[in-house]
Every structure is written in C-alpha cells, then in structure tokens.
Amino acid sequence: MRLRFWVAGPALVLLEGFLGGAALAAEECQAKSTSMDDIVVALNAAPGCERAMKQFEACAYGASGDVQFGDVVEKKCEADFIGQLQPPQKLSYQRELRVCDQKYRSKSGTMYISATAFCRAEVAQRYSQRALKAGKAGR
C-alpha cells in the first residue's frame, strides 16, 4: 500500500523532516473539486500515463471510488503499449492484473478496493514505462 494512506498530520511533518522534505513533495490534485466527475476530467486531461498516475495519487479518495479513477489511468497507460503486445505478453499483463484483483480479495474495507485499483494502475504504468523506454532505445 502507498504511504500516503497511512501518514497524516504531524507524522507527515516528522517523516518529511526525516526524509528531507523534497522527497515527499506531493503533487496537488488538479481537479476543479473533489467530485468524482471533476477528478475523472482531470485524469483524462493529464498528458500521458505518468502524469495521470501522479494525479491519481493526488486525487485519490482512499476508498472504493478510486476504482473509477484507476480505470482511467489504466486506459491512458495502456494506450502506450497494448497494441504492441504479442499474445504471450498480453497474457502476462492480464495475469498481473488478476494478481492485483486477488491480492486483497479476502480483506474487508473500501481502502482495500482502493489498493486494488492502485495495484492495477501501477501494473499498467510499468508496462507503459517499458514500452516508452523500448521506443526510445529503438530510435
């Protein structure tokens, strides 16, 4: 799980001091409001997978509403690689997504639904990063 779900208030200040402030410089949510629709608009407006993921992290509810946000990030990241995957790679990708789906299956609470959404988005982000890196190396 992400640190931001568990660290708040004075504990964050202590952690920032320990890690050196800039290490925890979080991006602010660019949505007009905290409504789900506004956050989805902000995620869709993000220029690429990396920025969408940063916005997802900044705007997340830490609850089941994050599933919708994670879906937007997954699709944005998949645009970088999904058409390039060979059948064995597609199977690996689908398997990694299923691992995320099952990771917290036996846990109760909406924060675990959020954790699943983040896990899936992170898998898509990794595949996007690999595809973009391979594209630069092939030039």
Side-chain angles (χ1 to χ4, degrees), residues 96 99-100 103-104 114-124 126:
E96 288 186 52
V99 167
C100 290
K103 189 172 185 177
Y104 302 106
S114 173
T116 299
F118 269 98
C119 181
R120 290 179 59 93
E122 288 166 350
V123 168
R126 279 194 308 274

Side-chain angles (χ1 to χ4, degrees), residues 53-130:
M53 189 63 177
K54 286 187 184 305
Q55 279 300 292
F56 182 23
E57 291 168 347
C59 299
Y61 292 157
S64 59
D66 291 345
V67 170
Q68 188 173 357
F69 306 151
D71 286 345
V72 172
V73 175
E74 274 184 62
K75 299 297 179 252
K76 189 165 283 272
C77 293
E78 284 176 350
D80 293 336
F81 66 86
I82 203 75
Q84 301 165 12
L85 295 181
Q86 299 301 312
Q89 295 167 314
K90 277 188 182 178
L91 287 173
S92 292
Y93 177 62
Q94 293 301 321
R95 188 176 330 109
E96 288 186 52
L97 292 176
R98 279 193 306 275
V99 167
C100 290
D101 292 339
Q102 298 197 6
K103 189 172 185 177
Y104 302 106
R105 178 172 259 156
S106 64
K107 305 284 187 186
S108 63
T110 60
M111 70 181 180
Y112 293 108
I113 296 170
S114 173
T116 299
F118 269 98
C119 181
R120 290 179 59 93
E122 288 166 350
V123 168
Q125 181 186 33
R126 279 194 308 274
Y127 274 76
S128 169
Q129 289 167 339
R130 287 181 205 146

Side-chain angles (χ1 to χ4, degrees), residues 10-52:
L12 181 58
V13 173
L14 277 171
L15 192 55
E16 280 183 1
F18 180 71
L19 293 177
L24 287 179
E27 184 166 319
E28 286 191 34
C29 181
Q30 298 299 310
K32 288 187 212 176
S33 74
T34 58
S35 82
M36 189 170 286
D37 290 340
D38 285 343
I39 293 172
V40 167
V41 167
L43 292 171
N44 279 318
C49 176
E50 292 300 314
R51 299 291 301 152

